[in-house]
Amino acid sequence: MNLFAAIRVALTALRVNALRSALAMLGVVIGVSAVIVMVSVTEGASNAIEEQIASFGANLLIIRPGSSAFGGRRGGAGTATFMNDEDVEALRNEIDGIAAVSGEMFGTSTFVADGVNWTTRIQGVHAEYFEARDWFPSSGRSFYSEEVNSGARVILIGQTLAQELYGASDPVGQIVRVGTTPMEIIGVMSAKGESSWGQDQDDVALAPITTVRDRILGYDLGVRDPVFTIYAEIDASADPGLVTADIEDLMRIRRNIQPGAEDDFSVNNLGEFIRARNETESQLGVLLAAAAGISLLVGGIGIMNIMLVSTTERTREIGLRLAVGAKRADIRNQFLIESVVLCFTGGLVGLLIGIGGAAYIESLDQFPIEIQPSVALIAIGASAFVGIFFGFYPAHRASRLDPIEALRFE
Amino acid sequence: MTASLIHCRNLTRIYKMGENEVHALRGVSVDIRRGEYVAIMGPSGSGKSTFMNMIGALDRPTSGTLEIDGERLEAMKPDELAAFRGKRVGFVFQQFNLLPRTAAIDNAALPLVYSGISASERKQRAEARLRQVGLGERMDHHPSQLSGGQQQRVAIARALVNDPAILLADEPTGALDSQTSEEILQIFDQLNHDGMTIILVTHEPDVAAHAKRQIVFRDGEIVEDRT
């Protein structure tokens, strides 16, 4: 008996008991749709986190005065003495495994161009800032360390600021007045979008830290060349733990902290923090997928149950088929195909419901959902496997029937 | 030369029922030639059904030799027996045993499905056999839409569709009224007239009278064989 004929026989048998077939496949439908929804949600969440890491710079250390931001919060960031340009220099020269390092300080200023004005955040940074944050201009250029040293009046603006001041026209080469200081726009930063806490990261301007400090903000913080935050990008080949420890040692010496005393600064690896969170979420994802897998298993047991009922009910049919020349394999395949068709159909329906469910969740909460083709393949493959696995025993039992007894079965 | 179609010597069949052994056949030897019309008779428990299962290749003897159409059956494996049944034997049962919700033509074509015959040829051959038994107009009817006599005709068409060497009928009229029974038996008479070897199991003497030879079983042995 060829496969095509066998599938037709199976479809006929399933159609004859349409309601029972539908109920039998319900377990598989629920199992497969649950797997797809769970995997899509988990995948979407971990992708969102990956993006977040990428937007921040994957191997970025953030050094701030004050004690740890993530451990027991004692002093809080900013309560201790500011760092300064010399700290940045020291990190650059004395620590191995740092690819780029930059200080940052910021304030708010008003930008005026052609009678349009816009008030927003201005950041003063060193030349390696762009590399450290992995954020570069989409047009124009970034500034050089010479321009930082000389306090050049050059500025880079974010996409939102460019839009507010210049609309569609090209800002590069224009002069913008920042507070009272005219500065030349040398580039527009690439779009970064919203941060995870909803701040528009493109509504910003970047200028050499010296220029911002001396000409624009003019803060007197009681420290020469103050820096609020230092960003250090760890070399891809270096061990982040080791680099962090080296930085901590150096900073303790530079800040005169006695052995045994608490640090008055913190070194945080945000990438690692996010990764740890990601790991927790993916473990949760594994749990969810396991729960969904169990429902698929229960669905499979339902299939096995119904196939056992079906083969018992059709004992005479089996006897007849054996009498007219069906071999054991023919009988076994007939029922195996029936159960695979049942599960496969259930898998297809479950796939559609799962995709629909994932899309619905996405629309509900703007929750990022990632439906991967491989998930669909796995779901369909798993349902076919369930069909074979749970269909085999009933089919095998049917094929072992004695034709005489089967024909006599009432 | 009239070589035996069925040739059996000292056939025994012992069933184990828990502790007890049931001797269903106790050394049966018989020859049936091609083209014969044989009625197998006897009370229930006499061994006639066991004998029929044996020559229908549904069962194997515990001992003895059984040769049908030149092939030795006593040592065949289950799948070999299935292949043998599919090609050499046509069964007609008391309860018809048609597949429900399946058209007459598909019921009649069922044995061909297992002998690897193409769909178009299956249809053609099943149609020819249904016409032969007088059901040319009802090929697409399901069993539930057919009378008992018509259902049995479908079953006969099914039994003939593989051009078997033997037609085995087990109480074929047992579930039919006397007039319908007569119609079915006339089909058998005609088939035998055309050369088909028919073996018919019955306990009704007037049904057995249609056959040209009567073999009577009692207690697992042949007690009478008359022509």
Side-chain angles (χ1 to χ4, degrees), chain A residues 191-267:
Chain A
K192 218 172 178 193
E194 274 186 9
S195 73
S196 51
W197 49 91
Q199 185 194 3
D200 180 358
Q201 298 179 94
D202 297 316
D203 190 9
V204 73
L206 299 167
I209 192 165
T210 46
T211 318
V212 172
R213 219 158 26 205
D214 303 338
R215 294 186 187 274
I216 297 171
L217 299 178
Y219 297 147
D220 181 11
L221 299 168
V223 173
R224 223 175 87 87
D225 302 333
V227 164
F228 292 172
T229 308
I230 297 176
Y231 293 100
E233 186 200 7
I234 303 167
D235 223 336
S237 59
D239 172 3
L242 223 68
V243 175
T244 307
D246 286 351
I247 292 174
E248 279 166 352
D249 289 346
L250 180 68
M251 292 303 286
R252 283 175 72 89
I253 295 165
R254 291 188 59 80
R255 293 170 78 85
N256 263 324
I257 295 166
Q258 299 305 311
E262 267 186 63
D263 289 352
D264 66 348
F265 64 90
S266 66
V267 181

Side-chain angles (χ1 to χ4, degrees), chain A residues 56-57 60-61 87-93 95 97-104 124-137 142-149 156 189 206-209 229-235:
Chain A
F56 219 91
L60 189 65
L61 292 178
D87 291 318
V88 177
E89 269 314 298
L91 288 176
R92 179 178 294 130
N93 297 331
I95 305 286
I98 290 184
V101 59
S102 167
E104 181 197 80
V125 297
H126 290 98
E128 285 178 16
Y129 180 83
F130 306 94
E131 199 191 327
R133 298 297 306 266
D134 194 21
W135 187 30
F136 299 96
S142 55
F143 43 77
Y144 310 118
S145 49
E146 291 77 32
E147 288 169 315
V148 176
N149 294 339
L156 286 135
M189 297 303 290
L206 299 167
I209 192 165
T229 308
I230 297 176
Y231 293 100
E233 186 200 7
I234 303 167
D235 223 336

